[in-house]
Amino acid sequence: MKITVDYARCEGHGLCAEQAPEVFSLDDDAELIYHFDGVNVPEDKVTAARAAIVSCPVAALREAS
């Protein structure tokens, strides 16, 4: 699975990083870091990644088809 991140929409709430800390994190300026940009999320992290997508209050994350 791949995830599309709308960085302009992201407000840095960090809920995705709480749900999937190995997939997402925030830097010191509360900017989102997506650790698998351009590649598939490893299978063992897909469930957490999907939970992170659902948790985003501004819908900045989307599962790519």
Side-chain angles (χ1 to χ4, degrees):
M1 107 182 252
K2 289 187 180 180
I3 297 173
T4 301
V5 179
D6 185 344
Y7 290 97
R9 187 176 200 125
C10 178
E11 296 179 352
H13 294 280
L15 298 177
C16 58
E18 290 177 12
Q19 293 293 320
E22 294 178 349
V23 180
F24 301 101
S25 60
L26 298 177
D27 67 13
D28 292 337
D29 296 320
E31 297 293 324
L32 180 64
I33 300 169
Y34 172 40
H35 300 284
F36 299 99
D37 197 13
V39 298
N40 286 326
V41 174
E43 282 298 318
D44 64 327
K45 295 170 182 35
V46 167
T47 300
R50 285 189 173 126
I53 291 169
V54 171
S55 75
C56 182
V58 296
L61 307 174
R62 184 170 39 103
E63 187 170 345
S65 36

